[in-house]
Amino acid sequence: KEIEKRKIVEHNDLITSVAKMDKTPLKIFELAVSCIDTENLPKDNIIYLSKAELFTFFKVDDNGKHTRFKEAISKMQEQAFFEVREEAGKGFKFRRILPIPTVEWTDYDDKVMIRFNQDIMPYLIELKQNFTQYALSDLIDLNSKYSIILYKWLSMNYNQYEHYSVKGGRRTEQVESYRNPSISMQELREMTDTINDYKRFTHFETRVLKEPLEEINAHTSFNVSYD
């Protein structure tokens, strides 16, 4: 029930960045972000998760869940980083950020301490403009990294469509472009970190478009098709 209420808020630059991590570390990161209260910022960038909540989120209830949890945390810290691209003058500025440098827990307590890197915090708390909010519960049944990345990108566009269709401030064709967003193949490959993967388009389409969008349509509020 707690998970159903929670929202995730991230800056759009983070949503369009390259997440260099697999599905499980990415979901742990999203779950941790949902614990940040932007009205009451975490001291020392630290939040606390319960192991029970983690297992619920991942729908894990077997005997090996503690081992799998440790493996997922280790993998996140060994592999995970975001490559953030921001507009800067005539081009882009690139930053590589390790999102969660410290995780602490004991084998006798339910609590897991997660400390965010200071450099990732502006993308999670400085949310006056260009940010996107979505439901944590929408991510529970997304079982591929590409589903999560596409869902976040679709949320970013749809939130802008909802905002500008109500508040105004954009031309009709601009508002429609948020409801029917387009992305180049190059950008899509960069965002999904598949520049060197699925070289044949049929493989790329199946793994990065068809299967993820089927999941998104089945398990979130979105109903999406593509050309």
Side-chain angles (χ1 to χ4, degrees), residues 1-7 34-35 53 56 136-137:
K1 285 182 179 176
E2 176 63 28
I3 283 173
E4 284 172 17
K5 293 180 205 162
R6 289 238 285 275
K7 302 286 184 193
S34 78
C35 294
E53 188 172 74
T56 300
L136 175 66
S137 57

Side-chain angles (χ1 to χ4, degrees), residues 186-203:
Q186 178 67 19
E187 284 178 292
L188 185 56
R189 280 191 175 275
E190 284 174 2
M191 195 170 73
T192 53
D193 197 26
T194 51
I195 288 173
N196 298 313
D197 300 326
Y198 312 122
K199 291 291 191 183
R200 289 180 59 182
F201 179 74
T202 50
H203 294 163

Side-chain angles (χ1 to χ4, degrees), residues 73-91:
I73 294 290
S74 299
K75 202 171 180 184
M76 178 171 68
Q77 294 192 289
E78 286 164 15
Q79 300 179 356
F81 69 87
F82 286 102
E83 189 171 274
V84 184
R85 185 179 69 171
E86 299 170 349
E87 289 189 25
K90 295 177 181 176

Side-chain angles (χ1 to χ4, degrees), residues 94-122:
F94 296 89
R95 308 176 82 194
R96 290 161 68 98
I97 303 172
L98 305 171
I100 297 177
T102 310
V103 181
E104 283 182 19
W105 70 93
T106 65
D107 54 8
Y108 54 80
D109 188 20
D110 182 51
K111 208 158 53 171
V112 181
M113 184 277 278
I114 291 181
R115 181 170 63 80
F116 289 98
N117 185 330
Q118 180 59 38
D119 292 335
I120 202 82
M121 291 307 288

